[in-house]
């Protein structure tokens, strides 16, 4: 029955989003919920988050205040877990970069390092803060809500079902404007990367029991990508099977990181 409720919920979500997209177009704002950043993206996330809260309150009949109060009471433990998991994720990414560098897949960009101004550093910090908000929002929606709702008991079958279903949804919604592209070679590779990332984040949440730990891993992995893109201090070579695309989520290196980190945490 819970899967039926979730499917109905997912089928309803496009309706308010379509209304918002229509209003954006009718007012000539130039905005779109399909924007990858800015007001459009914030509007999309805020709308879905409000719908999630409504589902929790009126369908799941769960107490949001009790959930928040738990972390308020145990904020020191939550903070320690967040910092530890952030360090673990960042450390594994660093180790992967070292291995990739040893195989000639990464090169230090001395010119970019010399041009690393304080202004560029500030913009990178701001981008990381945005990533934190994005990681928080996605973890609350896909792990704290969707996966947790479908995992009504701790049996293996129920847990695996909740992890797989929520991970499929997580990967699918990352390309709402052109879902048919998932059937292309590049789309399929990205889908695999996103699915494995979601499995990793579900594993973190289940094993630690803290959503802040999964937020930290999400931030550590996505933040490393932002740092590379903003600073350009590393040149990534994409001519081998290990790193075969500029988007690292589509590469075997990222898949090994996601799978390896899931095993380490488990």
């Amino acid at each position: 029955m819970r899967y039926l409720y979730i499917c109905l919920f997912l089928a309803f979500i496009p309706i308010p989003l379509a209304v918002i997209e229509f209003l954006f177009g009718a007012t000539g704002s130039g905005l779109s919920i399909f924007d990858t950043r800015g007001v459009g993206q914030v509007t999309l996330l805020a709308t879905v988050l409000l719908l999630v809260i409504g589902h929790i309150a009126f369908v799941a009949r769960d107490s949001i205040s009790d959930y928040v109060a738990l972390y308020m009471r145990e904020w020191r433990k939550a903070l320690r877990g967040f910092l530890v998991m952030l360090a673990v994720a960042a450390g594994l990414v660093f180790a992967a970069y070292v291995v990739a560098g040893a195989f000639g897949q990464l090169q230090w960009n001395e010119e970019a390092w010399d041009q690393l101004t304080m202004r560029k550093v500030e913009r990178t910090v701001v981008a990381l803060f945005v990533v934190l908000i994005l990681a928080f929002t996605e973890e609350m929606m896909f792990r704290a809500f969707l996966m947790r709702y479908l995992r009504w008991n701790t049996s293996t079958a129920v847990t695996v079902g909740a992890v797989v279903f929520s991970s499929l949804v997580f990967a699918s919604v990352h390309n709402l404007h052109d879902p048919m592209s998932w059937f292309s070679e590049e789309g399929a590779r990205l889908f695999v990367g996103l699915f494995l990332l979601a499995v990793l984040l579900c594993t973190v949440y289940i094993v630690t029991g803290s959503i802040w730990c999964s937020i930290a891993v999400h931030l550590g992995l996505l933040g490393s990508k932002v740092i590379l893109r903003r600073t350009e201090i590393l040149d990534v070579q994409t001519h081998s099977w290990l790193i075969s695309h500029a988007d690292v989520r589509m590469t075997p290196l990222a898949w090994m990181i996601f799978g390896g980190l899931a095993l380490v945490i488990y």
Side-chain angles (χ1 to χ4, degrees):
M1 186 61 71
R2 293 192 178 217
Y3 280 90
L4 176 60
Y5 287 153
I6 283 296
C7 289
L8 292 174
F9 173 74
L10 294 175
F12 172 77
I13 287 179
I15 298 175
L17 295 181
V19 172
I20 294 173
E21 186 71 5
F22 172 78
L23 293 175
F24 278 160
T27 57
S29 65
L31 299 174
S32 172
I33 60 172
F34 298 114
D35 293 339
T36 57
R37 59 178 63 87
V39 176
Q41 183 186 47
V42 172
T43 302
L44 170 64
L45 294 175
T47 302
V48 176
L49 191 58
L50 287 174
L51 293 173
V52 165
I53 292 174
H55 188 282
I56 293 173
F58 300 109
V59 179
R61 302 288 184 178
D62 203 356
S63 174
I64 298 176
S65 59
D66 289 347
Y67 189 78
V68 174
L70 172 64
Y71 283 100
M72 293 296 291
R73 292 194 303 269
E74 303 288 345
W75 68 269
R76 291 183 178 85
K77 184 184 294 184
L79 179 60
R80 286 198 300 270
F82 176 85
L83 295 176
V84 168
M85 297 311 298
L86 181 61
V88 169
L92 188 59
V93 171
F94 176 77
Y97 286 158
V98 170
V99 172
F103 283 93
Q105 299 303 300
L106 290 176
Q107 292 183 349
W108 181 261
N109 190 333
E110 190 68 35
E111 183 179 355
W113 175 256
D114 292 337
Q115 296 176 356
L116 190 62
T117 62
M118 184 56 65
R119 178 63 174 171
K120 185 175 291 187
V121 172
E122 291 174 354
R123 289 181 176 178
T124 303
V125 172
V126 171
L128 289 175
F129 180 72
V130 173
V131 170
L132 173 59
I133 296 175
L134 179 63
F136 172 82
T137 305
E138 290 191 346
E139 291 311 299
M140 291 303 295
M141 290 191 297
F142 294 104
R143 258 60 69 181
F145 163 60
L146 182 56
M147 192 275 292
R148 183 169 173 260
Y149 176 69
L150 295 176
R151 189 176 180 250
W152 63 85
N153 65 50
T154 58
S155 68
T156 301
V158 170
T159 299
V160 171
V163 170
V164 171
F165 186 86
S166 62
S167 298
L168 288 173
V169 174
F170 175 81
S172 299
V173 300
H174 276 75
N175 191 10
L176 293 174
H177 66 284
D178 186 18
M180 295 305 294
S181 66
W182 289 129
F183 296 98
S184 66
E185 180 182 353
E186 288 200 348
R189 291 166 64 90
L190 178 58
F191 192 93
V192 170
L194 290 169
F195 176 80
L196 291 176
L197 172 60
V199 170
L200 162 63
L201 296 172
C202 286
T203 302
V204 173
Y205 185 34
I206 291 171
V207 171
T208 65
S210 172
I211 195 63
W212 283 103
C213 288
S214 61
I215 291 172
V217 173
H218 201 153
L219 173 62
L221 296 176
L222 189 56
S224 64
K225 175 185 174 183
V226 169
I227 292 173
L228 285 182
R229 187 177 69 243
R230 290 280 180 171
T231 63
E232 300 179 332
I233 57 176
L234 291 178
D235 288 328
V236 181
Q237 308 298 318
T238 59
H239 55 266
S240 77
W241 69 272
L242 188 64
I243 306 178
S244 53
H245 199 278
D247 187 340
V248 294
R249 295 173 300 179
M250 301 169 60
T251 66
L253 176 63
W255 302 345
M256 288 188 289
I257 291 176
F258 299 156
L261 185 53
L263 288 174
V264 168
I265 291 171
Y266 180 79

